Amino acid sequence: MTQRFIEFVVMHAQNAALFLGQIPNPRTGEPEVNLDLARMFIDQLAMIQEKTRGNLTTEEAKVLSNALSNLQMAYVEVARETPRGDAQPEAPEAAPPPQPTEQPSAGTPEPSAPITSTEPETESRKKFTKSYGP
């Protein structure tokens, strides 16, 4: 089981490294930077570290800790070098915005007005949209 866990950690670390531009995209051969996806994989490793605290062998804990700290440092470096908006692919325009799943309990449901913001659309999109890949 130790080997399987280490393979799992390495797989997540490789995915994060791919989206930090450290590993070339296998399809294009070019480095690809997508900070949102890289952060998702790094956050997942941090979650695994937290949820498995005290339940890992010394080797498993060391591999996870080293991978996580290396990726976090790489993320900070890439985020500093990457101008805002350049590294993130645009969200498809045809994708509908997320709809609330909760319906009002009293009366008939009324259509809600669109939420408007004084911030530019891209800032609003960053706060409320999560992308898991193309």
Side-chain angles (χ1 to χ4, degrees):
M1 286 307 252
T2 295
Q3 187 60 35
R4 296 272 178 169
F5 182 80
I6 290 172
E7 289 171 0
F8 173 78
V9 170
V10 168
M11 180 182 66
H12 267 65
Q14 286 176 334
N15 283 327
L18 172 74
F19 292 114
L20 289 172
Q22 294 178 334
I23 299 174
N25 183 318
R27 283 186 279 161
T28 64
E30 297 294 320
E32 176 182 327
V33 176
N34 186 324
L35 293 176
D36 287 337
L37 288 175
R39 188 165 138 195
M40 180 190 72
F41 284 108
I42 294 168
D43 288 348
Q44 286 177 353
L45 285 173
M47 177 195 63
I48 294 297
Q49 184 180 47
E50 180 64 30
K51 293 292 187 178
T52 59
R53 188 170 314 248
N55 293 319
L56 299 177
T57 66
T58 305
E59 181 184 12
E60 291 168 338
K62 187 175 181 180
V63 168
L64 179 56
S65 176
N66 289 341
L68 191 52
S69 62
N70 289 338
L71 289 168
Q72 288 169 332
M73 291 298 292
Y75 180 90
V76 169
E77 289 175 17
V78 172
R80 283 183 186 157
E81 295 171 0
T82 306
R84 254 208 189 302
D86 283 357
Q88 313 311 324
E90 283 293 315
E93 294 300 324
Q99 298 294 320
T101 56
E102 203 172 308
Q103 293 292 328
S105 57
T108 59
E110 297 179 13
S112 61
I115 298 172
T116 58
S117 173
T118 57
E119 296 176 356
E121 183 179 339
T122 56
E123 287 299 314
S124 177
R125 187 177 296 161
K126 286 180 190 174
K127 289 181 182 177
F128 300 107
T129 303
K130 190 163 192 171
S131 172
Y132 290 99

